[in-house]
């Protein structure tokens, strides 16, 4: 049987076994009865979310989700930038990342690929073999001695992260690229005592540059910068930052709807560090991967592990540990629980959790407010509360436009598709033009 026919036949059998008429079932999943009839008859293909929603209502333990092949979302930037790198991620005159087809090799050569590590980091970073170097270039001045310059550069990075919360990634990205290049070039002239600290700070800049590249809609750049951060952290011996880099890579695959890669990368991250904080973040990311796959049991198990690890991390927190990951969530595990519940086809439960967590969030964290706020609107739409979903989304769209996020754009697109099923609703009609405009701003 073809996939839609196999799915439809199994859906009908499970529905009948549950004693539900098609009308009753349609009301519970909040889908049109006629549409579901076409799905059951194999005339329409169920979306992955509909499959997970039906699993939840019929208590099918992921059986229906397993019948729908999730097609990983392709990077729009990756498809569009095959011959020319995005202007926002071009590097400065030093010449790092000069062309998309050379991007990974350039970063690997500069930042410490296996070959570069074998030759020694000094050889890779200094001299005429680094990308963009020329024999006529003026010598690089030595990095200032003492801890003060590093401390100031660390404070600057903290401010850059704050700026990234309240403005477009397109604004922050060029500054991050320039700073990362400057730090990288200084690494070869730093004293041995300061070398590792400078490498770690450079890795943090590279990791955050990767996040802003993803937010700007450039997934290939995001992966390349994150790989650079992992290489630098490996060279410095910072296992915590290496593991976090894998969690960041898993975020890219999660937004591509690639559940298998998301789970695998998160599991790798958990094996690479003893840091409770990073292990907790990896467990949360793995839970999101399981939610995309429709595996409720595995998702909840990972979230339980994340709660335990989060408690241990807070009990053993050290001011010496630099902050990695989200800093604007009062309870990251509960927020991600709400996120996962929606993907698992439980929108009403998701909305209740997200209500509580968003109320406790820093109101000035515009990027986080946009991300989780649109997901809350999506949860209410899934639960059938269309007017409230439109109201929540409408209140957020100015903020969403301000941060101009490609990942939030993915959430907006899901919301737009969900609301299309209720196009005759007056709230949907009023919101639709404004929502369409925000989708354009968010690079979707």
């Amino acid at each position: 049987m073809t996939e839609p026919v196999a799915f439809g036949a199994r859906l009908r059998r499970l529905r009948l076994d549950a004693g539900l008429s098609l009308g009753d079932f349609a009301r519970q999943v909040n889908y049109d009865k006629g549409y579901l009839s076409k799905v059951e008859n194999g005339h329409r293909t169920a979306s992955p979310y509909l499959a997970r929603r039906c699993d939840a209502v019929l208590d099918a333990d992921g059986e229906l989700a397993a019948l729908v092949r999730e097609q990983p979302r392709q990077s729009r930037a990756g498809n569009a930038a095959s011959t020319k790198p995005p202007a926002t991620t071009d590097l400065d005159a030093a010449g790092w990342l000069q062309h998309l087809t050379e991007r990974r090799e350039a970063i690997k050569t500069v930042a410490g690929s296996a070959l570069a590590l074998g030759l020694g980091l000094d050889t890779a970073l200094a001299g005429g073999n680094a990308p963009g170097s020329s024999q006529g270039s003026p010598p690089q001045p030595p990095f200032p001695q003492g801890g003060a310059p590093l401390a100031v550069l660390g404070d600057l990075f903290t401010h850059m992260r704050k700026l990234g919360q309240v403005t477009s990634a397109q604004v922050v990205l060029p500054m991050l690229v320039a700073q990362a290049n400057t730090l990288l070039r200084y690494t070869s002239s730093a004293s041995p005592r300061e070398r590792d600290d400078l490498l770690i700070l450079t890795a943090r800049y590279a990791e955050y540059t990767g996040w802003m590249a993803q937010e700007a809609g450039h997934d290939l750049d995001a992966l390349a910068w994150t790989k650079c951060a992992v290489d630098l952290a490996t060279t410095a011996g910072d296992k915590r930052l290496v593991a976090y880099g894998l969690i960041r890579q898993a975020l890219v695959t999660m937004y591509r709807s690639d559940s298998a890669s998301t789970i695998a990368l998160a599991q790798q991250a958990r094996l690479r560090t003893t840091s409770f904080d990073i292990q907790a973040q990896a467990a949360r990311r793995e839970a999101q991967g399981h939610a995309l796959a429709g595996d409720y049991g595995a998702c909840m198990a990972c979230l339980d592990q994340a709660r335990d690890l989060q408690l241990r991390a807070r009990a053993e927190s050290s001011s010496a540990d630099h902050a990695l990951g989200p800093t604007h969530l009062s309870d990251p595990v509960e927020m991600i629980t709400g996120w996962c519940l929606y993907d698992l086809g439980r929108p009403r439960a998701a909305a209740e959790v997200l209500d509580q967590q968003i109320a406790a969030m820093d109101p000035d964290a515009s990027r986080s407010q946009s991300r989780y706020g649109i997901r809350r609107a999506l949860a209410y739409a899934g639960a059938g509360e269309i007017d409230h979903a439109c109201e929540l989304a409408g209140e957020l769209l100015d903020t969403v436009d301000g941060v101009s996020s490609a990942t939030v754009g993915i959430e907006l697109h899901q919301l737009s598709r969900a609301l299309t099923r209720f196009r005759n609703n007056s709230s949907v009609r009023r919101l639709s033009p404004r929502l369409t405009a925000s989708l354009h701003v968010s690079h979707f």
Side-chain angles (χ1 to χ4, degrees):
M1 287 190 295
T2 62
E3 184 177 288
V5 173
F7 179 89
R10 190 56 186 153
L11 174 60
R12 175 181 291 167
R13 173 47 51 197
L14 289 170
R15 174 178 64 78
L16 292 175
D17 288 347
L20 291 171
S21 70
L22 188 58
D24 289 338
F25 183 60
R27 282 187 287 274
Q28 290 196 38
V29 297
N30 196 35
Y31 270 76
D32 179 73
K33 177 181 174 180
Y35 177 81
L36 290 176
S37 177
K38 292 178 182 178
V39 170
E40 287 194 348
N41 290 320
H43 299 314
R44 295 294 298 267
T45 300
S47 69
Y49 177 75
L50 175 58
R52 297 191 297 264
R53 181 78 181 111
C54 293
D55 268 328
V57 171
L58 297 171
D59 197 21
D61 197 24
E63 181 180 348
L64 293 169
L67 293 174
V68 177
R69 296 194 189 110
E70 181 95 41
Q71 295 297 322
R73 183 182 293 108
Q74 296 299 312
S75 166
R76 292 169 65 88
N79 294 336
S82 58
T83 59
K84 183 179 180 182
T88 52
T89 50
D90 282 346
L91 294 173
D92 62 15
W96 225 26
L97 277 178
Q98 293 189 12
H99 193 277
L100 181 64
T101 58
E102 302 169 353
R103 182 176 289 111
R104 287 186 178 84
E105 244 358 92
I107 292 179
K108 217 170 5 176
T109 301
V110 177
S113 63
L115 176 62
L117 290 173
L119 296 173
L121 190 63
D122 287 350
T123 304
L125 292 177
N129 291 328
S133 63
S134 63
Q135 296 189 0
S137 300
Q140 177 73 28
F143 186 75
Q145 300 296 306
L150 271 174
V152 172
L153 288 167
D155 289 342
L156 177 61
F157 178 71
T158 298
H159 288 295
M160 294 293 286
R161 281 176 58 117
K162 291 179 179 178
L163 184 61
Q165 271 292 327
V166 298
T167 192
S168 168
Q170 303 280 3
V171 173
V172 182
L173 198 48
M175 293 185 280
L176 287 168
V177 168
Q179 194 65 28
N181 274 289
T182 299
L183 291 172
L184 187 64
R185 293 196 306 275
Y186 267 127
T187 305
S188 62
S189 64
S191 68
R193 183 172 60 85
E194 293 176 323
R195 177 77 54 82
D196 284 350
D197 288 341
L198 187 56
L199 279 170
I200 290 169
L201 181 58
T202 308
R204 295 182 69 199
Y205 267 97
E207 177 274 316
Y208 193 62
T209 301
W211 170 229
M212 289 293 101
Q214 185 180 0
E215 286 289 86
H218 307 311
D219 283 2
L220 293 179
D221 295 285
L223 289 169
W225 278 107
T226 305
K227 176 62 166 60
C228 170
V230 170
D231 288 338
L232 289 165
T234 300
T235 304
D238 190 331
K239 294 181 179 179
R240 184 168 173 264
L241 189 49
V242 169
Y244 183 69
L246 293 171
I247 296 171
R248 276 282 307 116
Q249 291 178 22
L251 185 67
V252 177
T253 61
M254 186 197 83
Y255 274 110
R256 287 180 171 178
S257 298
D258 186 347
S259 58
S261 296
T262 301
I263 293 167
L265 285 164
Q267 289 175 341
Q268 290 177 42
R270 294 180 70 174
L271 296 174
R272 297 290 289 270
T273 181
T274 58
S275 165
F276 291 137
D277 174 47
I278 302 302
Q279 286 191 352
Q281 294 191 52
R284 299 197 306 262
R285 186 75 75 240
E286 184 179 348
Q288 290 176 295
H290 287 303
L292 281 176
D295 193 334
Y296 179 86
C299 177
M300 292 299 116
C302 284
L303 289 171
D304 286 341
Q305 293 166 16
R307 287 186 185 89
D308 179 62
L309 289 164
Q310 183 172 281
L311 288 173
R312 295 187 184 189
R314 289 174 175 174
E316 297 186 12
S317 63
S318 168
S319 58
D321 288 340
H322 46 256
L324 294 171
T327 58
H328 299 92
L329 308 182
S330 62
D331 191 335
V333 177
E334 288 308 304
M335 185 70 88
I336 297 304
T337 297
W339 184 284
C340 290
L341 284 170
Y342 174 78
D343 280 337
L344 287 165
R346 292 162 167 81
R348 189 165 299 281
E352 292 174 358
V353 175
L354 292 171
D355 277 343
Q356 295 174 0
Q357 295 305 310
I358 290 173
M361 188 190 296
D362 181 356
D364 295 328
S366 300
R367 193 170 296 276
S368 295
Q369 287 280 355
S370 298
R371 172 165 293 100
Y372 295 105
I374 293 299
R375 172 130 304 213
R376 175 172 61 163
L378 188 57
Y380 274 106
E385 297 190 29
I386 306 304
D387 292 336
H388 190 44
C390 291
E391 179 185 3
L392 290 172
E395 292 171 351
L396 273 174
L397 290 181
D398 285 343
T399 302
V400 168
D401 292 349
V403 298
S404 183
S405 161
T407 55
V408 175
I410 292 171
E411 299 294 299
L412 281 176
H413 179 66
Q414 291 187 66
L415 179 62
S416 179
R417 289 185 60 186
L419 295 178
T420 297
R421 295 190 284 114
F422 306 92
R423 59 174 62 88
N424 292 327
N425 179 285
S426 59
S427 296
V428 174
R429 289 200 304 269
R430 285 194 299 271
L431 181 67
S432 182
R434 183 69 182 83
L435 181 57
T436 300
S438 290
L439 279 168
H440 179 74
V441 172
S442 297
H443 313 287
F444 200 93

